[in-house]
Amino acid sequence: MENKHGDQAEARSPFSIDHEWTFVPTLLPDPVSTGYAPIRLPMEEIGLQAIGQIGCIGSVQMTRLFHWRRHQVRRMLAEKKLVQHELKKNKNTIPIFTLGPRSIQLLKLDQGVNSWRHWDIYSVLSKLVFFQFCCALHEKQKGFQILPAAPPFTGKVQMGEHLRYVLVLRGKVDTAAVERELRLCSQPIIVITEKLEDVDPLNNMLSSARLLLDTDLREDYTFFRQQDGVWKR
């Protein structure tokens, strides 16, 4: 069955807002003891920096991107480099991870304890979708850097000399506010959305952007681009 954009109808995304979601953050005492554990391996530092730039990550994504094994994650939790939270999806519980107070101290980040306390589900999902994109990108290009970006962007990826801003659309979008920021962005943009119709209100501002659906991130993806105002691969 095809949708109005001429593309095959997609199965529901695992990150779809149509699932029943609840974010249950772990709240730390403030002030909290940070301990004295050092960063032990180069890949540990790379991974912690990336998580700090975006906010949170899933356990499978950590394994795919940073090759952290279960015992390493347990150690980083014990050393307060990571904090584990619960993301409830329908009847399932998914562990997700933010930086712990020791990592925030080691990396000298301007981030307070329990900064995740007021995250809404759309913010959490956009961060997980960003890292899902990074996992898919990792299959194509091993060398890239994950960088922070101001809203409405979830993050940026640097590939050699090429910088791409990543806009993850999730939930209700303040179209006027997003358009205002898009006008100020002179860098190439990658849009990730669950359904093509979700991006329709922003099409005029994204005529030169590249676009992916959530479900594209499961495999070797091909970007959509606009042709005469229609998204086509």
Side-chain angles (χ1 to χ4, degrees), residues 8-9 19 21 24 26-27 58 143 187 190-191 194 214 216 221 225 231:
Q8 290 293 320
H19 296 294
W21 296 100
V24 185
T26 297
L27 299 181
Q187 297 291 336
I190 295 171
V191 183
E194 183 183 349
D214 286 9
D216 292 327
Y221 58 81
R225 291 182 174 87
W231 293 101

Side-chain angles (χ1 to χ4, degrees), residues 11-229:
R12 184 159 61 166
S13 161
F15 303 101
S16 172
I17 59 171
D18 292 333
H19 296 294
E20 184 178 339
W21 296 100
T22 306
F23 175 49
V24 185
T26 297
L27 299 181
L28 304 177
D30 189 7
V32 62
S33 171
T34 59
Y36 301 97
I39 291 178
R40 302 180 187 279
L41 297 167
M43 189 52 72
E44 180 175 304
E45 182 172 7
I46 289 170
L48 292 173
Q49 284 180 335
I51 297 168
Q53 306 289 29
I54 305 306
C56 67
I57 192 171
S59 56
V60 174
Q61 295 167 341
M62 288 195 304
T63 301
R64 290 180 65 185
L65 281 174
F66 313 129
H67 310 293
W68 291 350
R69 298 184 182 277
R70 192 169 297 177
H71 73 275
Q72 292 174 294
V73 174
R74 285 199 296 265
R75 174 177 55 76
M76 285 188 275
L77 287 167
E79 292 176 343
K80 301 178 182 177
K81 294 176 185 169
L82 292 173
V83 177
Q84 182 172 329
H85 311 268
E86 290 186 354
L87 182 63
K88 296 183 181 295
K89 176 184 177 182
N90 303 327
K91 295 183 179 180
N92 300 316
T93 299
I94 302 166
I96 64 172
F97 301 84
T98 62
L99 289 191
R102 180 55 177 160
S103 293
I104 293 170
Q105 182 185 63
L106 285 167
L107 299 175
K108 298 180 172 59
L109 298 177
D110 183 18
Q111 180 179 327
V113 173
N114 298 324
S115 59
W116 47 78
R117 178 196 298 266
H118 301 297
W119 287 354
D120 60 31
I121 195 62
Y122 306 120
S123 176
V124 173
L125 290 177
S126 71
K127 299 175 195 304
L128 297 180
V129 171
F130 177 92
F131 273 118
Q132 194 71 7
F133 166 65
C134 291
C135 290
L137 179 62
H138 185 61
E139 300 298 321
K140 287 177 170 283
Q141 180 162 337
K142 300 300 181 184
F144 63 92
Q145 188 177 2
I146 295 169
L147 300 169
F153 301 101
T154 304
K156 299 179 293 202
V157 289
Q158 179 88 45
M159 300 167 285
E161 297 178 355
H162 303 290
L163 184 66
R164 299 288 184 269
Y165 280 66
V166 181
L167 176 66
V168 179
L169 296 179
R170 203 69 13 165
K172 186 176 180 181
V173 175
D174 184 341
T175 303
V178 173
E179 284 185 349
R180 189 164 54 247
E181 295 303 320
L182 291 177
R183 289 191 186 95
L184 299 175
C185 182
S186 59
Q187 297 291 336
I189 295 171
I190 295 171
V191 183
I192 305 174
T193 185
E194 183 183 349
K195 300 183 292 292
L196 286 173
E197 49 265 35
D198 292 343
V199 80
D200 282 349
L202 298 169
N203 277 354
N204 290 339
M205 299 299 302
L206 296 169
S207 58
S208 60
R210 299 182 182 187
L211 181 144
L212 291 171
L213 300 175
D214 286 9
T215 47
D216 292 327
L217 305 180
R218 300 171 178 171
E219 54 194 28
D220 185 16
Y221 58 81
T222 301
F223 284 109
F224 286 87
R225 291 182 174 87
Q226 279 197 54
Q227 297 180 25
D228 300 321

